[in-house]
Amino acid sequence: MDNLQTILAMAALAQPTRLDTFKLLVNREPEGVPAGELARLLDVPQNTMSAHLAILSRAGLIAGERQSRSIIYRADLDGFRAVIAFLLKDCCGGRADLCQPLIDELVPCCPPKVPADGRHHLP
């Protein structure tokens, strides 16, 4: 990861439709979402969505895989992790204690879901 790749990723996410697209794809991991369904879900014309998907893909934030007549898009979580790691690598001039509140907020990023009955069930 370098400055240019990080700038591309940040610029790609600095647009409402692309940010919504990326968040939706993260939420739909690992299944992914077909391009046409993304356009429908976000109420964006398909040609406009194609342009947004191309920008996110070039930025290393998503990847598309052809399946028959569709392209299934998925969030590239490794690419996103690389951007975040690059931004935090020299966090606060090497003073990790200054970044600890941010780290604490991010971990765990996905707390386990509690069923409606409020009880945790073992698999």
Side-chain angles (χ1 to χ4, degrees):
M1 186 60 53
D2 60 18
N3 281 353
L4 180 58
Q5 189 62 35
T6 301
I7 290 167
L8 285 173
M10 300 295 281
L13 294 173
Q15 196 281 341
T17 301
R18 291 193 294 269
L19 180 59
D20 289 345
T21 300
F22 181 73
K23 288 171 57 178
L24 191 149
L25 288 173
V26 168
N27 196 28
R28 295 285 185 94
E29 275 298 306
E31 299 83 19
V33 181
E37 186 178 345
L38 280 169
R40 184 184 59 74
L41 289 169
L42 295 171
D43 195 27
V44 175
Q46 286 194 12
N47 61 339
T48 302
M49 180 54 73
S50 291
H52 289 308
L53 293 170
I55 291 167
L56 288 165
S57 183
R58 281 193 300 274
L61 296 170
I62 67 169
E65 176 186 344
R66 182 165 293 283
Q67 288 185 1
S68 185
R69 298 175 76 186
S70 295
I71 299 178
I72 308 299
Y73 284 91
R74 292 180 180 81
D76 184 338
L77 297 179
D78 288 335
F80 185 62
R81 264 189 228 101
V83 170
I84 299 305
F86 178 80
L87 291 171
L88 294 177
K89 185 176 181 186
D90 295 317
C91 187
C92 305
R95 292 203 42 216
D97 59 311
L98 295 175
C99 289
Q100 195 59 50
L102 171 63
I103 293 166
D104 290 344
E105 188 174 327
L106 294 175
V107 179
C109 72
C110 305
K113 294 181 181 177
V114 177
D117 65 9
R119 298 184 315 185
H120 292 278
H121 300 279
L122 296 176

